[in-house]
Structure formats: structure tokens, C-alpha cells
Amino acid sequence: MLREARALDELMDKKHRLRPVYVTARIPREAAGMGAPWIDAWLLRKFLAGHPAETDNILSVNGTFAAGTAMNADDLPWFGQTVAAVIAWDAARLARSLGDAAGPIGVIVQGFDPETVRTISLRLELPGGFFPDPAQRLADFLRDAHAPVTLSRSGDTATFTASEKSLKKRMLLAGRCRTSRTGTAFDLQIGSRPFLREWLESFGERETARRAVVEILALS
């Protein structure tokens, strides 16, 4: 009995010392708004479906890219590119298994640290009727947050240009948007200071903000 308890203690100690392996992943649009627990379960299910031989090796898979960034998995409905943290008993075996993997789970990101993600490129879709004049409202919001941008318009397109001083605020780094009959689509580069949810909630309530959909295009 004592030997079994000691073996269990050693196993738990080894588990606590395991470090995540970061791999690229793509979350499908239908997962937008499902929340972090659902997305983590989806990632694990998809990973094991693509790598059944790793069933006894993988302990968990979760999308932790948002740590220290301006996006959080439960802030807004989102989908697209992310980086998942995989905890495995044998990281070298995991790396061999991934190889040239295709599908929603991609390849290992060497040297990745979620705390150092500084820029997110994204597309933000706002349905019409809930977010009046969103370009001007975004410029006004950033001005009030002491991170002003220059807003210029040409037809149905608006462009946001941040000054050098505003760039240091790490909010909106650059962007543009286009308005159509169905709504407005923003292509934005944002920094590490959160602001999207607060800006979108300024149009109404939390549920108003959740009518928006974010597609993550790239992390850097």
C-alpha cells in the first residue's frame, strides 16, 4: 500500500512538472460564442481523432493564446487561428506524431510564449441595426481612452491611423472598415491592452456586444 501511494505521488509530481507544447490550431466559425470549456473539449476531441495513437500520451489540450493579449476566449464570439497548449507525458513522441499534420490541429510553434503575444490581426463583423456609425464610435472611444486615431473616409470605407503616441498604448494599431447594407466589417490590428468588449458594450449591453463575431487571422 505504501509503495502504491509513493508511486502515485511520483506520478503526480511528474504531471505537475510537465510543460505545455504549443501547436497551431484553427477554430471553426460554428464554435464562435461557445466559450472556452467547449472550445478546449473540441480541440482535444479533434486532436485525438487525428492522432489516435496519442490517446495514452495526451493529458489536455486548451487554447491559451489569449493570455496577456487584448482578446479572451469568453469576451466575444470568436473563431479562426489560435495556438493551443498541449500537455503530454512524452513531448518528443508528441512532436513525432504531429509531423506534417493537416486539419484543425497544426504544427508545433517553437519557443512560443502566450505572454509575449503583442499583436492580433482580426476581422470583426458587426451586424446592421445594432452598432450605429461604428467607425466614428470607435474613434471616439479611443480618443476618450487617450489613444486617439485619425479617421479618414472614402465612400463606404473608413481607415484608422494611430499616431506614434497612440501606438504606445497598445490598443488599436491600425485598421479599416467597410459598411454595407448588412453591417460593417473591420480589419484590425490590435495590441495587448483589452478594449474591444468595452467598446462594443458601449452600444448597449453585454448581449449587444456578443452579436459581434471576431475572426482571428494571425498572432505575432
Side-chain angles (χ1 to χ4, degrees):
M1 195 74 174
L2 181 60
R3 183 180 299 172
E4 292 176 352
R6 194 170 293 163
L8 180 59
D9 286 344
E10 290 176 356
L11 183 66
M12 295 305 295
D13 182 60
K14 179 181 178 182
K15 181 179 178 181
H16 290 147
R17 286 186 282 107
L18 294 173
R19 293 290 178 264
V21 175
Y22 292 103
V23 300
T24 59
R26 180 166 180 81
I27 307 300
R29 188 183 182 99
E30 55 266 29
M34 300 300 287
W38 191 96
I39 289 174
D40 290 350
W42 182 89
L43 283 168
L44 178 59
R45 187 169 64 252
K46 289 295 184 180
F47 185 88
L48 293 179
H51 306 279
E54 293 298 310
T55 300
D56 63 340
N57 188 31
I58 302 302
L59 292 171
S60 67
V61 182
N62 59 80
T64 59
F65 87 86
T69 74
M71 276 289 297
N72 250 314
D74 288 326
D75 275 356
L76 297 167
W78 71 277
F79 70 102
Q81 295 299 129
T82 186
V83 176
V86 182
I87 302 292
W89 290 114
D90 187 337
R93 172 181 153 185
L94 170 65
R96 290 193 298 271
S97 179
L98 279 172
D100 297 322
I105 305 296
V107 296
I108 291 178
V109 186
Q110 299 291 347
F112 180 80
D113 181 352
E115 297 290 345
T116 64
V117 174
R118 300 289 291 166
T119 304
I120 302 177
S121 298
L122 59 86
R123 167 158 286 203
L124 172 66
E125 298 176 3
L126 304 182
F130 298 96
F131 303 93
D133 198 6
Q136 187 61 55
R137 291 281 292 270
L138 177 56
D140 292 345
F141 177 90
L142 292 168
R143 178 201 62 210
D144 294 342
H146 307 291
V149 296
T150 299
L151 172 63
S152 55
R153 297 179 186 265
S154 176
D156 57 7
T157 300
T159 301
F160 305 92
T161 305
S163 66
E164 185 174 346
K165 181 178 179 181
S166 293
L167 290 174
K168 293 178 181 179
K169 298 289 186 178
R170 302 300 302 170
M171 295 177 71
L172 180 63
L173 307 180
R176 62 188 306 171
C177 69
R178 184 175 184 275
T179 301
S180 67
R181 290 183 296 111
T182 58
T184 304
F186 286 79
D187 290 303
L188 304 175
Q189 285 190 327
I190 63 174
S192 55
R193 182 177 169 187
F195 74 91
L196 281 180
R197 184 178 66 176
E198 184 180 353
W199 166 56
L200 291 170
E201 288 181 352
S202 72
F203 288 88
E205 300 177 352
R206 187 171 186 269
E207 289 308 310
T208 302
R210 292 187 64 80
R211 293 181 182 274
V213 178
V214 175
E215 179 182 7
I216 305 295
L217 303 174
L219 310 172
S220 59

